[in-house]
Amino acid sequence: SSPEPYRSMFADPDYQGPNRDKVAFDIDTFIGGTDLESKWQALPPKEMKQIRALYDGCTRQFDTCVGEILASIKANGLEDNTIVIVTGDHGDDLYEPGVTLGHGLTFNGGLQANLPPMIVHVPGAEPQAIPEIVRMIDVVPTLADFLGVEKPPVWQGQSFAGWIRKTETPVDRPFYGETGFPFIQFSVKGVVRPKLPPMDELTYIDPDYNFQFVLKPEYLDRLIQAKQRCLRTRDWKLVCTPTASGTRHFALFHMTVDPDAETDVAQSRPEILAPMRAALEGWMDQHIE
């Protein structure tokens, strides 16, 4: 939902449907738990194209905002003394194979929602492209290294300042991920997922917490147990989906040849599945890294 000129910058000028100015979204339906996944899957191609165009326009607006911030930094004489990081906590699903609409809610499909780009500007550093993965927990240790600040031993992230300084060779860093609050509990092929109530039953308005939505305590364990988990390496993605019967379903995807994660190779690649599953369950159940 961006203002002009961004709203129509990438859109079809002849489009006149329900998503003309912003994504047609009813908050009451969303909170009430109507089967939004099925609704979004049913959208015709012209609606998906328009929603992607709105997203592109919003991204272009963000570029303008970043430009204004950078110009202000320069105008205030801070350009050579400021580290700037542009990234996101997640990307978005926009009807790529295996997904509908949403962001950071599922490990279905490709990596568009779980592997957002990161741009790091350090004054004096030579520009370069680093293809290896870093995690959000790695950002603060990196800043600590650049600023000469001591890192507490409880921090789990690993600095990548040496990569930017070119004093260390970038290496593959597997990441662990888990889904958060289930605004929508997306379906997973071949899996009956644990049943969770819709958002208006899972939460209450807490007047002692600035009238925020707060999870009801009786649903905490059920919500945690229903989370999808993921272990991602440079070439592979392992997704663990809890089932309604209390078991765990594991799906393995070879991302270098199957970037949209359409083919589960868990049965045909046991030599990859076994160590990745052991590593993922060791972290989930015993917090063993």
Side-chain angles (χ1 to χ4, degrees):
S1 181
S2 294
E4 293 292 4
Y6 309 103
R7 178 189 302 155
S8 58
M9 190 172 286
F10 303 99
D12 180 353
D14 296 326
Y15 174 87
Q16 295 296 324
N19 298 294
R20 188 176 73 89
D21 298 323
K22 61 182 180 180
V23 175
F25 178 81
D26 179 71
I27 188 64
D28 294 327
T29 302
F30 181 74
I31 291 175
T34 301
D35 190 1
L36 291 176
E37 184 187 10
S38 296
K39 173 189 173 185
W40 287 340
Q41 285 177 332
L43 290 181
K46 71 171 185 177
E47 302 299 338
M48 293 189 287
K49 181 179 179 181
Q50 172 65 13
I51 288 173
R52 289 171 178 160
L54 292 174
Y55 184 89
D56 290 344
C58 189
T59 304
R60 180 59 185 82
Q61 182 188 6
F62 176 80
D63 287 348
T64 297
C65 295
V66 171
E68 293 173 355
I69 293 171
L70 296 179
S72 179
I73 290 174
K74 183 175 182 178
N76 284 277
L78 300 172
E79 185 178 27
D80 296 327
N81 193 36
T82 302
I83 296 172
V84 179
I85 299 178
V86 180
T87 189
D89 56 339
H90 55 71
D92 278 64
D93 290 323
L94 295 169
Y95 301 102
E96 293 85 0
V99 297
T100 56
L101 187 67
H103 45 245
L105 299 175
T106 175
F107 292 112
N108 294 352
L111 296 171
Q112 59 276 345
N114 310 126
L115 196 63
M118 178 183 291
I119 302 170
V120 181
H121 168 70
V122 178
E126 181 182 346
Q128 60 177 312
I130 299 175
E132 303 294 355
I133 294 171
V134 298
R135 295 78 55 97
M136 291 301 292
I137 59 173
D138 296 334
V139 173
V140 172
T142 301
L143 291 175
D145 274 356
F146 278 122
L147 300 174
V149 176
E150 184 178 354
K151 298 191 289 288
V154 295
W155 286 5
Q156 295 176 339
Q158 298 174 315
S159 171
F160 53 90
W163 300 4
I164 296 175
R165 291 170 170 154
K166 295 189 174 182
T167 58
E168 297 177 4
T169 301
V171 296
D172 179 35
R173 286 186 181 174
F175 78 70
Y176 165 81
E178 62 181 43
T179 52
F181 184 86
F183 295 103
I184 300 172
Q185 195 174 22
F186 284 96
S187 60
V188 176
K189 185 178 180 180
V191 179
V192 179
R193 302 193 65 180
K195 181 67 175 178
L196 290 172
M199 182 178 174
D200 56 351
E201 294 181 35
L202 280 171
T203 62
Y204 68 100
I205 304 297
D206 188 350
D208 296 325
Y209 191 57
N210 197 31
F211 294 92
Q212 299 273 355
F213 284 105
V214 175
L215 183 70
K216 294 177 182 177
E218 60 265 33
Y219 290 121
L220 177 60
D221 289 341
R222 285 178 57 185
L223 186 148
I224 292 174
Q225 292 167 5
K227 285 174 176 278
Q228 269 190 317
R229 271 84 169 189
C230 174
L231 176 59
R232 170 82 167 96
T233 68
R234 181 192 288 115
D235 300 321
W236 300 89
K237 180 174 77 168
L238 180 67
V239 180
C240 173
T241 305
T243 71
S245 63
T247 62
R248 289 170 173 169
H249 175 269
F250 288 89
L252 178 67
F253 303 96
H254 195 181
M255 303 303 292
T256 51
V257 298
D258 181 23
D260 290 314
E262 295 181 277
T263 303
D264 179 8
V265 296
Q267 298 302 315
S268 61
R269 298 301 301 268
E271 79 283 6
I272 302 294
L273 173 66
M276 289 192 68
R277 175 173 176 171
L280 180 54
E281 290 194 297
W283 178 253
M284 289 165 51
D285 299 333
Q286 304 175 60
H287 218 63
I288 297 174
E289 185 170 353

